[in-house]
Amino acid sequence: MMNSKIYGKLAVTNLKNNKKSYIPYILASAFSVMMYFIMDNLYRNRSLERV
């Protein structure tokens, strides 16, 4: 039980101290996922097929 409190505090402290590193990573990851779903949606859209 004691270790879980220490690990929790350590994780929160690490997130606070490395905020400048995590924010660009999270934004880039979200952008990549967004682009994947946009491209997949365009690829599967039947109304965009040539006649």
Side-chain angles (χ1 to χ4, degrees), residues 18-33:
N18 295 319
K19 189 182 336 182
K20 291 181 181 178
S21 297
Y22 285 120
I23 290 175
Y25 173 75
I26 291 170
L27 291 176
S29 298
F31 181 75
S32 298
V33 170

Side-chain angles (χ1 to χ4, degrees), residues 6 14 19 24 29 31 33 35-36 38 46 49 51:
I6 292 172
N14 189 25
K19 189 182 336 182
S29 298
F31 181 75
V33 170
M35 288 304 297
Y36 168 77
I38 289 172
R46 292 191 184 268
E49 290 180 1
V51 178

Side-chain angles (χ1 to χ4, degrees), residues 40-51:
D40 187 57
N41 191 16
L42 289 173
Y43 176 73
R44 295 173 189 267
N45 192 346
R46 292 191 184 268
S47 65
L48 295 176
E49 290 180 1
R50 292 186 179 186
V51 178

